[in-house]
Amino acid sequence: PYNESKTSYNNNSIGGYHAAKLLRYQELIDRQIRHFETDESQKWNKKKRTQFFLQLKNKNVLRMLNCGWIIKSNGKEVGYKKNSLEWTQLGLLTPLGDSWFVSEIDTVENVNEELKSLDSFNPEITAIVDKRFSDQITEFTKDVSDSIWLDQDSYKPNHLTYILKNINSEKLAVFSEIYYEKGWNAYIDGKIVPHFRANYVLRAMMVPEGTTKIEFKFEPTSYSTGESVAYASSIILLLLLGFVSYREVKRKIEESQVE
C-alpha cells in the first residue's frame, strides 16, 4: 500500500508512491503503521480480516491520519465502515477528522522522542510537540462546544479552508495534514500566522479567541521566484524582439530611401 499509486488515483490515501516521499512520513510508516504481510493465497474471510486489524501496529496513528477504511489494492473493500460496531470492537476507533482541538500537550526534547511518544498516546486529547516549537504555545483550553471542519466546497490541494465556530478562548488545533514548512503558510483573517509540527508529521497552531476561518496555502518561495524570473525573462525577450524588429524595419526604410 505504500509503494503503489492506483488507490490514490480515486481515493484519499495514507499510502501511495512518490519518488520524493518525505523521509519523515516513511519513518512513521515503518515505525508506527506497517503491519504483517498477509498471505493473499488464503481466503480473505472475516476471521482473517479481524486478525489483520488487530495486528495493525498503532491504531491511534491511523486515527490521527483520518484513516476510515482499509481496502485491498485491487479496490475491493475489506475493512469496516467508520463508526460501525465491529470497527469499535476491533479497537480501531473512528478517525479524528480533518482537524480537531486538543486539551493538553506533551513537550519532548527532540524528534526521536517525538516519534517514540506516538507508541502510546491519545491523539484526541494530547498533541506531542518538539520543544523547539514551545515558544509558539500559549495557554489554551478545550470546550465541548468548539467546532472546526474543512470546507469541502472550496477544497483545493494547494488551498485548504477550515471553518470554526464557538471559539470563545485560545485553542490548540491539530490538522490531519503533513507539516511541510518549505511552502505552506497559515492565515487567519487574511494575515499570515505561525504554525508548527505536532505528532511527528502533522500541523498544529494556536487559534485565537473569535477565529472563524483558517486557511493553509501552498506558496513555495522557489515557485514564486521562478514565476517572477520567467515573467521578467519573457518581458525582456519581447523587448529584444521588438527592438530587433524595429531596427530591421528602420534599416529597410533607410535603404529604400537611398535607392
Side-chain angles (χ1 to χ4, degrees), residues 232-246:
S233 299
S234 298
I235 293 176
I236 293 172
L237 180 60
L238 289 173
L239 290 174
L240 287 174
L241 288 173
F243 177 73
V244 171
S245 299
Y246 167 76

Side-chain angles (χ1 to χ4, degrees), residues 46 59 70 129 176 223 238:
K46 184 174 181 180
K59 302 174 184 66
I70 294 179
V129 181
S176 188
Y223 177 79
L238 289 173

Side-chain angles (χ1 to χ4, degrees), residues 54-226:
L54 291 176
Q55 294 195 35
L56 286 170
K57 199 163 188 180
N58 191 330
K59 302 174 184 66
N60 275 324
V61 169
L62 292 180
R63 295 183 66 207
M64 78 177 195
L65 294 176
N66 200 21
C67 179
W69 293 82
I70 294 179
I71 61 177
K72 292 179 69 175
S73 60
N74 64 6
K76 292 184 179 180
E77 186 267 321
V78 297
Y80 293 95
K81 188 175 182 179
K82 57 185 177 182
N83 299 323
S84 74
L85 178 61
E86 289 179 301
W87 183 282
T88 304
Q89 288 174 339
L90 290 172
L92 190 58
L93 303 179
T94 53
L96 294 178
D98 299 301
S99 181
W100 61 94
F101 296 110
V102 295
S103 56
E104 61 185 45
I105 63 168
D106 180 8
T107 305
V108 295
E109 290 294 317
N110 51 52
V111 293
N112 292 330
E113 287 191 15
E114 190 176 359
L115 180 59
K116 182 175 175 54
S117 295
L118 299 180
D119 292 347
S120 57
F121 86 121
N122 184 347
E124 190 171 5
I125 297 174
T126 306
I128 300 170
V129 181
D130 191 306
K131 71 174 184 179
R132 75 183 70 179
F133 301 111
S134 58
D135 61 335
Q136 296 187 36
I137 300 174
T138 57
E139 292 187 7
F140 62 92
T141 60
K142 178 182 177 181
D143 302 309
V144 293
S145 61
D146 302 336
S147 60
I148 179 172
W149 67 91
L150 179 66
D151 184 2
Q152 297 291 346
D153 293 335
S154 64
Y155 174 83
K156 295 180 181 178
N158 61 347
H159 187 175
L160 308 176
T161 302
Y162 296 84
I163 308 300
L164 299 87
K165 284 188 176 181
N166 301 319
I167 309 302
N168 300 317
S169 60
E170 192 95 351
K171 310 294 178 186
L172 176 55
V174 179
F175 302 86
S176 188
E177 295 287 340
I178 300 301
Y179 175 80
Y180 187 70
E181 58 187 333
K182 299 179 178 65
W184 282 100
N185 292 321
Y187 292 84
I188 293 179
D189 298 329
K191 297 180 180 179
I192 193 167
V193 294
H195 70 289
F196 52 91
R197 191 183 69 239
N199 300 349
Y200 196 67
V201 294
L202 301 185
R203 306 174 195 172
M205 66 182 298
M206 300 305 306
V207 179
E209 178 182 354
T211 300
T212 58
K213 184 171 74 171
I214 295 173
E215 295 176 278
F216 281 98
K217 299 179 183 179
F218 189 60
E219 302 168 321
T221 304
S222 57
Y223 177 79
S224 57
T225 301

Side-chain angles (χ1 to χ4, degrees), residues 21-45:
K21 183 190 296 184
L22 292 175
L23 176 60
R24 182 177 292 273
Y25 190 66
Q26 185 61 51
E27 291 172 341
L28 183 76
I29 291 170
D30 294 338
R31 173 71 181 268
Q32 300 291 351
I33 301 176
R34 190 181 297 277
H35 54 78
F36 74 104
E37 297 297 329
T38 58
D39 183 359
E40 291 297 332
S41 64
Q42 300 178 26
K43 183 178 180 181
W44 192 265
N45 53 30

